[in-house]
Short mmCIF file of all heavy atoms in Angstrom, two decimals:
data_model
loop_
_atom_site.label_atom_id
_atom_site.label_comp_id
_atom_site.label_asym_id
_atom_site.label_seq_id
_atom_site.Cartn_x
_atom_site.Cartn_y
_atom_site.Cartn_z
N GLY L 804 -11.35 -9.01 -55.19
CA GLY L 804 -12.78 -9.14 -55.44
C GLY L 804 -13.39 -7.82 -55.88
O GLY L 804 -12.70 -6.81 -55.99
N ALA L 845 -19.37 1.66 -46.59
CA ALA L 845 -19.86 0.78 -45.53
C ALA L 845 -20.81 1.52 -44.60
O ALA L 845 -20.78 2.75 -44.50
CB ALA L 845 -18.69 0.20 -44.74
N PRO L 871 -6.48 -10.52 -48.06
CA PRO L 871 -5.98 -11.66 -47.29
C PRO L 871 -5.61 -11.28 -45.86
O PRO L 871 -5.41 -10.11 -45.55
CB PRO L 871 -4.74 -12.09 -48.07
CG PRO L 871 -4.28 -10.85 -48.77
CD PRO L 871 -5.54 -10.10 -49.13
N THR L 919 -23.07 8.35 -43.45
CA THR L 919 -24.00 8.82 -42.43
C THR L 919 -25.13 9.55 -43.16
O THR L 919 -25.11 9.67 -44.40
CB THR L 919 -23.32 9.79 -41.44
OG1 THR L 919 -23.07 11.05 -42.09
CG2 THR L 919 -22.01 9.21 -40.92
N CYS L 923 -20.37 11.27 -46.47
CA CYS L 923 -19.52 10.08 -46.42
C CYS L 923 -18.14 10.51 -45.91
O CYS L 923 -17.64 11.58 -46.26
CB CYS L 923 -19.39 9.44 -47.80
SG CYS L 923 -20.94 8.78 -48.44
N GLY L 982 9.40 6.81 -23.07
CA GLY L 982 10.39 7.55 -23.84
C GLY L 982 10.75 6.84 -25.12
O GLY L 982 10.88 7.43 -26.18
N ARG L 991 3.46 4.86 -41.22
CA ARG L 991 2.14 4.74 -41.84
C ARG L 991 1.86 3.28 -42.11
O ARG L 991 2.72 2.41 -41.95
CB ARG L 991 2.10 5.53 -43.17
CG ARG L 991 2.18 7.04 -42.96
CD ARG L 991 2.05 7.75 -44.32
NE ARG L 991 2.09 9.19 -44.16
CZ ARG L 991 1.03 9.93 -43.90
NH1 ARG L 991 -0.15 9.37 -43.75
NH2 ARG L 991 1.14 11.24 -43.79
N VAL L 993 -0.49 0.46 -44.77
CA VAL L 993 -1.33 0.25 -45.94
C VAL L 993 -2.33 -0.85 -45.62
O VAL L 993 -1.97 -2.02 -45.56
CB VAL L 993 -0.47 -0.17 -47.15
CG1 VAL L 993 -1.35 -0.40 -48.36
CG2 VAL L 993 0.58 0.88 -47.45
#
Side-chain angles (χ1 to χ4, degrees):
T919 72
C923 295
R991 292 183 179 274
V993 180

